[in-house]
Amino acid sequence: MIDQYASVRFNEKVAQETFLMGLESQEIANKAEPGHFVMIRVSEGTDPLLRRPFSICSVEGENLFLILYRIVGQGTLIMSKAGKGERLSVLGPLGRGFEMPQSEEVPILVAGGVGIAPIIFLAQRLGSHKALLMAGFRTSDEIVDKKVCGLLDYQISIATDDGTAGHLGFVTDLLEDHVDSNKKETPSVFACGPTPMLKKVAALTQSRGIPCQVSLESLMACGVGACQGCAVQAASAEKQAYFHVCEDGPVFYSKSIAWECLA
Amino acid sequence: MNSGLGQGFSILQHDDSNSCRFGLAQSRVLYARFITWNNIMDKIDLRVRIGSLELKNPVMTASGTFGYGQEFYPLVDPGQLGAVVVKGLSLKPRIGNPPPRIVETPSGMLNAIGLANIGLERFLKEKLPWLENMNAVVIVNIYGHSVAEYGEVAAGLKGVAGISGIEVNVSCPNVECGGMAFGTDPEVTARVTEQVLKNSDKPVIVKLSPNVTDIRSVARAAESAGADGLSVINTLTGMVIDIEKRVPKLANLLGGLSGPAIRPVALHKVYQVVQAVHIPVIGLGGIVNHRDALEFLIAGARAVQVGTANFMKPTATLDIIEGLRVYCEEQGIARIEDLIGTLEVN
């Protein structure tokens, strides 16, 4: 766990309401694994009070890590205005990341909206010769270009809710089509996105016996397991009633989550 | 962290950081000051007494914000703190409330964790040995469903080496029975206090709720019952509504408000309680830096607890300890105890 001020190298708008920020920290860049997150204090004042959690979406070179975020409230709005050279207090890398797929498995990476952040990091690590990537967005303006993601090698299957790009519908349609028409494959699914999408991915993989890891999002205060604020209900077969997204996750096997309790 | 040269210097820089750029002359002055300061620094006595409990400095963690002491390690060495007040423990493990459990508010946050904890037995087996090993002064915050159960938890801690004190939580707003229901009634507060004292061989501190008409009457009740000290205050009750869905943002509806938003309220309650009782008072509520901590000490608190600030800045407690040292040096105060309760009121 590193607690330091990291310099903003760039902070660019890459899609509608969506920003890519590069932060300089050799220690965090070295330790980061796909699925890890950082807690960022967006301003030195007391309002907003709490740090914001962000998945690490890429590591470049020796001392740069990237986060991809969408303006959803006061904190991310302040963050979107951070200029080059500004120093932000960063705590990380935190959490439990993705477990890598077995060699015989075909990794299928499924992203929804800005939930593509940890999926990008995983995709870079896995390589396009191995993994398939499908991403859903609400509309074409929200699509993050694959050049920006550092995923030029990938054929990314796109779905949009309004049909302005790719498949008209949800990314889960693409996933369902793929697994049902490639039954000889041994797939392993990795997903991050809005809760309704993850619920669908969980149901779809569970009914077909496909292993699936999801990266969950939650409000957090501490990020290290101290406050127990980021509880998520565990499936009844689990030994504990609640997991804490910050320390037990943010990546979980989807079968360990009580999806019916997630709003 | 430690009182090494580098650390001390960085504190001075930090304090002057508003005027950011140093000229050469300024640097020389600063360096001269730094040499003098470093000599004096080791002589400044930050020790405080809370009844029979002697602490190396007046800065503790507040229960529920620092886990069981290990969560922020190695950023914070719990052995450097005045004391670590661990997450509220009950006899049996508690799973806590359904999510959402937290929501941010202006300069504060609401929580309704519901006293999720691993229970007394696992704490003693899995968490305490590490804290002992770190030479941490451990105060265990306890909670019970009934007056009798408070006694049972206290009895479970009796004779356990490595625990320096008990903090009795009669002020948690997020549980159905016990908690605040006990702490808002002076008579019940007294009964809980007596029950814990009867079953304990350690100093007993009672943590008071601000959600009462007159906190002084509850404070006096705890004092009369024999409490060794009081922690003032626990969180204030509050709620937030999601206007799109027209539902409370917390699954529990109400939560406990903490953070800088409550600091002036907390400070006044501490001031009131200090005037009303003769036992030591520990002040808490929205303390994020040493200046905040100083207000509570000047008002008469013998120590402070740092809670929500740990989430903003994991090293908040350590920064506050260093900040207090620097303040004492600048004010020519040799012993921090000389500062306690020095408020002048016309």
Side-chain angles (χ1 to χ4, degrees), chain A residues 167-189:
Chain A
H167 165 75
L168 166 63
F170 297 131
V171 69
T172 45
D173 305 339
L174 302 177
L175 175 66
E176 191 167 10
D177 279 355
H178 180 86
V179 292
D180 287 348
S181 49
N182 293 274
K183 288 196 168 149
K184 282 183 189 157
E185 272 182 14
T186 313
S188 180
V189 170

Side-chain angles (χ1 to χ4, degrees), chain B residues 216-300:
Chain B
R216 289 169 296 194
S217 60
V218 190
R220 286 193 200 103
E223 182 183 39
S224 305
D228 297 290
L230 301 170
S231 292
V232 181
I233 57 175
N234 205 322
T235 54
L236 290 148
T237 53
M239 70 185 285
V240 176
I241 291 173
D242 180 333
I243 59 162
E244 314 299 333
K245 298 180 192 159
R246 300 186 202 172
V247 296
K249 281 205 175 175
L250 292 173
N252 189 53
L253 189 141
L254 85 93
L257 183 65
S258 65
I262 72 166
R263 193 169 57 236
V265 178
L267 185 63
H268 184 239
K269 301 284 180 211
V270 166
Y271 174 73
Q272 281 188 307
V273 172
V274 165
Q275 303 303 311
V277 299
H278 298 99
I279 52 175
V281 172
I282 301 163
L284 73 152
I287 295 173
V288 302
N289 58 39
H290 73 279
R291 302 179 66 87
D292 304 338
L294 284 161
E295 287 194 63
F296 284 80
L297 296 174
I298 292 166

Side-chain angles (χ1 to χ4, degrees), chain A residues 1-3 5 41 45-52 91 219-222 224-229 231-233 241-242 244, chain B residues 64-67 71-73 75 95-99 101-102 104-109 113 116 260 308 311-315:
Chain A
M1 192 194 315
I2 315 285
D3 172 25
Y5 280 88
R41 199 166 165 200
T46 60
D47 193 17
L49 184 82
L50 300 172
R51 291 167 180 265
R52 301 293 194 259
L91 183 67
L219 289 167
M220 284 183 195
C222 73
V224 298
C227 75
Q228 320 226 315
V232 56
Q233 192 140 2
Y242 290 109
H244 297 112
Chain B
T65 64
F66 206 69
E71 285 78 356
F72 286 105
Y73 187 79
L75 298 179
I95 62 171
N97 288 332
R101 292 177 172 183
I102 55 170
E104 196 175 40
T105 61
S107 292
M109 65 179 282
I113 308 298
T308 302
F311 307 150
M312 302 159 66
K313 197 164 192 278
T315 57

Side-chain angles (χ1 to χ4, degrees), chain A residues 158-170 173:
Chain A
I158 299 277
T160 50
D161 298 3
D162 62 0
T164 46
H167 165 75
L168 166 63
F170 297 131
D173 305 339

